[in-house]
Amino acid sequence: YFKRNADSPEPMVREVDPYALANYFGVWMMVGFDHLRNDIRTFRLDRMETVLVTAKVFTRPKNFNLVQMFRQKQSQTSGEIYQVKIAREIFRWVKEQPPYKLIRTQSKKNYVILTIESPSEDSVITWLLRWGNKAEALSPQSFRDNVKSTLDTLLKIYQ
């Protein structure tokens, strides 16, 4: 399994009792008991290099509830608050795969200001940059500065 922010670029071997498959915001996820973390975790299928089915037997807990788990996970998602400005023409698409919890929208004539909460600034920056000049980081200033720094680094690659 390839963990996004791993210390090594090599895949990790994980032993997991699979409880469910779910499509979450367009991404296929396996939910199961992770023996390394001794807890229920989610794993993106597109990050799995190989899967080995073993002869080990397990029983999914009777109280396991996938819908409740995802609702609880969403409500527990906390982090920093960010404001971004989005061109109105892409607002529909921006809402499809958010790495954030939407706190508030402010509609203007040509744009929408989103107030969002996310535990990962890096994820928000990556998401924001995919919209090109149709999206702008507004606040906090450190977030805006980090977006600019990322863009400066990208610009150096192409000079």
Side-chain angles (χ1 to χ4, degrees):
Y1 185 78
F2 288 93
K3 186 175 175 187
R4 183 177 181 130
N5 296 319
D7 295 333
S8 167
E10 297 299 314
M12 306 174 67
V13 175
R14 303 296 278 271
E15 182 182 348
V16 180
D17 299 340
Y19 291 172
L21 287 176
N23 191 296
Y24 190 65
F25 290 110
V27 177
W28 281 102
M29 310 286 282
M30 179 192 65
V31 180
F33 183 80
D34 179 3
H35 290 268
L36 178 66
R37 304 289 185 229
N38 200 31
D39 195 10
I40 294 175
R41 297 293 169 108
T42 58
F43 298 89
R44 292 175 59 118
L45 294 187
D46 59 353
R47 291 189 189 163
M48 294 180 188
E49 185 168 90
T50 47
V51 175
L52 175 64
V53 179
T54 67
K56 291 184 180 180
V57 177
F58 66 91
T59 302
R60 184 172 72 182
K62 292 197 184 296
N63 64 348
F64 176 77
N65 183 317
L66 184 65
V67 173
Q68 182 181 5
M69 188 191 98
F70 276 111
R71 281 188 186 142
Q72 188 176 27
K73 191 172 185 174
Q74 269 189 322
S75 69
Q76 290 174 349
T77 301
S78 62
E80 297 297 317
I81 302 294
Y82 305 97
Q83 277 198 323
V84 296
K85 180 178 172 182
I86 303 294
R88 177 166 296 289
E89 70 230 41
I90 65 165
F91 182 53
R92 168 188 296 277
W93 315 118
V94 162
K95 297 183 296 182
E96 284 187 350
Q97 289 187 324
Y100 57 79
K101 178 179 170 185
L102 182 62
I103 305 295
R104 182 176 53 170
T105 60
Q106 295 171 277
S107 293
K108 304 295 181 181
K109 184 177 180 183
N110 296 320
Y111 59 91
V112 178
I113 295 177
L114 304 178
T115 302
I116 61 177
E117 181 179 15
S118 178
S120 170
E121 183 177 90
D122 288 342
S123 294
V124 175
I125 291 172
T126 301
W127 166 83
L128 185 78
L129 293 179
R130 78 188 283 197
W131 304 109
N133 66 353
K134 305 284 185 192
E136 178 184 355
L138 297 179
S139 68
Q141 186 62 45
S142 60
F143 169 55
R144 191 173 170 86
D145 293 344
N146 289 337
V147 170
K148 183 183 180 310
S149 175
T150 301
L151 288 169
D152 288 343
T153 301
L154 284 169
L155 186 58
K156 287 176 188 171
I157 292 171
Y158 291 98
Q159 289 181 339

